[in-house]
Amino acid sequence: MTQASLALPSGRLLISMQEFDDELPRIRLTPGTYAVRVYSNGLHTISEDGLDGEDRYHVVLWPMDEDHPAQVLKRYPEPLPGG
């Protein structure tokens, strides 16, 4: 689990899986700075090249007043495939 701050001066957030498409979800938010926390699971299923697997992610955002450095809140206990 990781957490960081994210500046969204435009108030627009694009959700992507490493490709660009006009159909990708775009979320409108109040412009400002947000905290972002990323939860993950299934990391042990990722292929050696890092392209395939049953990994899943849950991203949570909430408004905040100031930037905070990125931090790891909980580390996966084993080395991950692909480095």
Side-chain angles (χ1 to χ4, degrees):
M1 176 178 14
T2 58
Q3 183 171 304
S5 58
L6 174 66
L8 291 174
S10 69
R12 289 180 280 174
L13 179 65
L14 174 71
I15 307 298
S16 172
M17 290 179 53
Q18 299 181 353
E19 66 252 359
F20 185 79
D21 183 326
D22 286 337
E23 302 297 318
L24 291 173
R26 289 165 171 80
I27 300 171
R28 290 200 179 272
L29 299 165
T30 302
T33 301
Y34 289 80
V36 180
R37 185 173 290 170
V38 180
Y39 299 87
S40 58
N41 66 15
L43 299 179
H44 65 284
T45 69
I46 298 173
S47 63
E48 284 297 321
D49 64 7
L51 299 176
D52 296 304
E54 297 297 319
D55 48 317
R56 300 286 182 256
Y57 304 88
H58 180 79
V59 179
V60 179
L61 290 104
W62 65 93
M64 59 188 305
D65 294 330
E66 58 189 52
D67 286 343
H68 289 280
Q71 61 187 130
V72 175
L73 302 175
K74 183 176 181 184
R75 189 172 301 278
Y76 195 73
E78 302 169 13
L80 297 175

